Amino acid sequence: LGARRGGPLGTGGGGGGSAMGKEGKIRTKASTEAMRWADDDEGDGPLFREPSSMGNEFDIRMKNEPDGVLAAKKIVDHIGKRGVCVCEANAPEQLIEAAYFEASELWEDGAFAPPLRVHDDRSMLEAQLWGQALKDEEKVVWIRDATTPTGATAQESCSSKGMNALKLLAKNMSDFAAGLGELLQKEQGIEFDRIGHAMLSCYTGDRQYCLHLDNAHGEEDSPGSLPDNGMRLTCTYYFNPHWDPDDGNQGGLDLFLTDPKVSPASASSAKKSPKLRVAPHADTLVMFLSDRMAHRVIPTRGKDSKWFALTVWALSGTAMNQMTRKMMAMRQQASKADSDSDD
């Protein structure tokens, strides 16, 4: 984070600050109970906060923060207290409009594709773990440094060039998240050492979305629980300049404010907690703990309205290196159990 006035997503890069969190022992807390994340029809808990006719109520407005280091501390404090922080990022209006135009062109050109492609046993196991976070993502574009989105066909590659604004936003989001690493480790014990590629999503059509955790792991030795997929901090940025309060908050985000020190045991228990509602309007940056804060995309209506979001995840490399090995071991145990039952 730069020690200057201005937002993390402006034209001048991510703002500097600490590079990445130091590697070390992963210190995450999880319920000892096996995770149960089948959503149900029970009603949600009370609203903690929702957008007004003027838009979101922000915890931090970066344009009002002359000291970037102090702003980072405020953000980390909010994450420690509630598990989430909602920021007005202060990106330039021209950059937001350019990114929205590029995203719309990618959608019209058919460049969006399923987020996970299974081609062997390893990718199938990884898809099971990453599928937690990508439960509602039918089609996405992965934003890399290269000109072409990952996984695009030759036809899509031709129509998907020129993502300069999206790439700049993605880079600055990554730099900003990385800059929080040292403070999150020191103040909250949240450790990560890398940032994943940015994912461009589009929420549209008549759809309901699922309540989930991005990283619904259990205790390391808990039977039947999913391994840790490495996700520590989820950062989602909305850049929809056409948002109107009369449209409601479709395509935005509901976050359920459970205890940020532990993961909720189930969807049912999470839904009873106070709900923080975020509209998907331009320049809204939402940061929350990936393995502790249950959330759900707000239902969308009609194909004419499209709501775009960019998401990056701060990741623990140690956990990522271990997760596939653990999934393979679980699969071998399941195969052995099936074989024994056949005998």
Side-chain angles (χ1 to χ4, degrees):
L1 291 172
R4 59 176 175 82
R5 185 183 300 273
L9 308 183
T11 57
S18 171
M20 290 284 180
K22 298 177 181 178
E23 292 213 38
K25 184 177 179 181
I26 303 167
R27 292 181 292 176
T28 61
K29 298 182 179 180
S31 171
T32 55
E33 187 179 358
M35 302 298 289
R36 300 188 301 275
W37 282 97
D39 207 349
D40 50 45
D41 294 327
E42 293 183 18
D44 293 350
L47 270 172
F48 169 78
R49 192 172 76 197
E50 64 179 332
S52 69
S53 60
M54 301 299 293
N56 290 314
E57 181 180 334
F58 294 105
D59 299 312
I60 303 289
R61 292 180 182 269
M62 293 302 296
K63 65 182 179 182
N64 297 333
E65 299 294 333
D67 188 330
V69 175
L70 181 58
K73 189 175 188 317
K74 291 179 180 178
I75 291 169
V76 170
D77 286 345
H78 276 284
I79 292 173
K81 290 175 182 176
R82 284 205 298 265
V84 57
C85 184
V86 183
C87 293
E88 184 181 38
N90 198 31
E93 184 176 342
Q94 287 184 330
L95 179 60
I96 293 171
E97 291 178 349
Y100 183 81
F101 175 79
E102 291 175 1
S104 299
E105 289 289 294
L106 289 169
W107 180 264
E108 295 300 324
D109 290 344
F112 282 69
L116 298 170
R117 297 189 178 186
V118 176
H119 52 83
D120 56 20
D121 285 350
R122 181 185 178 91
S123 62
M124 181 179 68
L125 294 172
E126 290 178 343
Q128 292 176 6
L129 284 169
W130 288 96
Q132 302 168 47
L134 306 177
K135 186 180 293 288
D136 290 320
E137 308 298 339
E138 291 184 340
K139 293 183 178 182
V140 306
V141 174
W142 293 102
I143 308 294
R144 293 179 180 265
D145 292 336
T147 302
T148 303
T150 303
T153 65
Q155 180 180 0
E156 292 166 352
S157 299
C158 293
S159 62
S160 300
K161 296 179 180 179
M163 298 188 297
N164 294 331
L166 287 169
K167 282 192 257 184
L168 179 56
L169 282 176
K171 179 184 183 302
N172 291 346
M173 285 178 68
S174 297
D175 291 346
F176 188 66
L180 297 174
E182 187 173 342
L183 268 177
L184 278 170
Q185 180 181 355
K186 179 181 177 182
E187 302 292 336
Q188 308 299 336
I190 307 297
E191 299 185 20
F192 55 84
D193 56 18
R194 62 197 65 189
I195 308 295
H197 295 294
M199 179 183 73
L200 173 64
S201 304
C202 180
Y203 303 111
T204 187
D206 296 323
R207 288 194 62 194
Q208 299 283 330
Y209 301 86
C210 296
L211 180 69
H212 66 280
L213 288 175
D214 284 354
N215 184 5
H217 68 90
E219 291 285 4
E220 185 170 348
D221 298 325
S222 177
S225 65
L226 287 171
D228 184 348
N229 66 16
M231 292 181 177
R232 295 293 179 264
L233 184 70
T234 304
C235 303
T236 297
Y237 181 69
Y238 297 100
F239 54 100
N240 301 290
H242 63 294
W243 180 82
D244 188 308
D246 292 338
D247 294 332
N249 302 301
Q250 56 176 312
L253 199 64
D254 283 337
L255 297 112
F256 293 83
L257 302 180
T258 54
D259 182 353
K261 295 181 175 60
V262 295
S263 302
S266 66
S268 178
S269 64
K271 288 174 71 173
K272 295 176 183 177
S273 302
K275 180 170 63 179
L276 172 61
R277 174 157 286 188
V278 180
H281 70 65
D283 207 33
T284 298
L285 176 63
V286 187
M287 294 164 282
F288 57 92
L289 299 176
S290 306
D291 62 344
R292 303 177 194 178
M293 306 311 296
H295 56 284
R296 179 182 59 205
V297 176
I298 299 171
T300 51
R301 303 182 304 275
K303 295 183 178 180
D304 292 337
S305 296
K306 297 177 180 62
W307 308 97
F308 293 107
L310 272 177
T311 299
V312 299
W313 286 275
L315 306 159
S316 164
T318 303
M320 292 178 67
N321 291 334
Q322 293 173 349
M323 70 175 180
T324 304
R325 175 179 56 80
K326 292 178 181 178
M327 286 293 287
M328 287 293 291
M330 291 172 63
R331 185 178 179 186
Q332 290 171 359
Q333 290 175 359
S335 298
K336 185 177 185 301
D338 290 342
S339 177
D340 291 344
S341 64
D342 290 340
D343 294 339

